[in-house]
Amino acid sequence: MKEYDTIALKKFSSLIKKEEGAGEWLRENGYQELPEFWDAVSGIEKSFQWLKDNGFIHFAAMVDALNGKAQARAWLIRYGYRELAAVCDAAEGNKIAVALLLKLHEPDWLNVAKAMYDFFKKKEKKSIFNFGNPFS
């Protein structure tokens, strides 16, 4: 797997938090797979396909794992991407996965997982009572 320095993963966390310019920075600095990954998580099929076509099958597996596919999580572990499987689990609030990322000395990936967790929680809150405006 490609190595990601602290700056790249901080920019990735910024992208997830919808901070302006983060996606452009990632693309301009050779990390196109990270915005493509996040677009795929957001349901953009073209980005999911881009990941598979460009050698980032592990990120495609993460997309599937984040969408509840247990076999994708198992694939990540089987092929040596346990830290990415832990990111998926931590993004869903799994405390054991958070502890594993700390044990593996992966604070930058933990920050990515936290950004994902916050994003998913915010999205969940918006959708719980989103029945539309009954007064319009």
Side-chain angles (χ1 to χ4, degrees):
M1 180 174 89
K2 180 177 178 178
E3 290 294 317
Y4 297 94
D5 61 23
T6 296
I7 295 168
L9 291 177
K10 281 185 179 182
K11 289 291 185 182
F12 186 36
S13 293
S14 295
L15 172 71
I16 295 165
K17 296 173 187 175
K18 299 184 176 187
E19 292 178 16
E20 195 169 321
E24 292 78 14
W25 187 94
L26 289 164
R27 285 182 180 89
E28 290 169 4
N29 288 279
Y31 301 103
Q32 170 136 3
E33 67 276 9
L34 297 177
E36 294 289 348
F37 165 73
W38 192 243
D39 285 347
V41 168
S42 300
I44 299 173
E45 181 64 34
K46 184 173 94 172
S47 292
F48 185 77
Q49 192 61 46
W50 186 95
L51 293 171
K52 294 191 308 184
D53 292 345
N54 288 280
F56 295 97
I57 192 73
H58 51 290
F59 285 143
M62 280 183 76
V63 171
D64 282 346
L66 288 166
N67 284 310
K69 294 183 180 172
Q71 67 272 29
R73 185 184 175 285
W75 184 94
L76 287 166
I77 294 167
R78 183 178 16 213
Y79 289 99
Y81 299 104
R82 71 180 185 163
E83 69 279 353
L84 297 182
V87 168
C88 293
D89 289 346
E92 295 172 352
N94 182 312
K95 292 177 182 168
I96 294 170
V98 170
L100 178 62
L101 288 169
L102 288 170
K103 181 180 177 186
L104 294 173
H105 306 287
E106 295 287 356
D108 299 323
W109 279 112
L110 181 58
N111 288 332
V112 168
K114 172 72 167 89
M116 288 183 193
Y117 176 82
D118 292 344
F119 176 86
F120 295 142
K121 284 297 171 193
K122 189 181 294 184
K123 185 177 176 184
E124 186 179 287
K125 283 182 183 178
K126 284 183 181 177
S127 67
I128 289 176
F129 294 106
N130 188 8
F131 300 121
N133 185 348
F135 304 106
S136 55

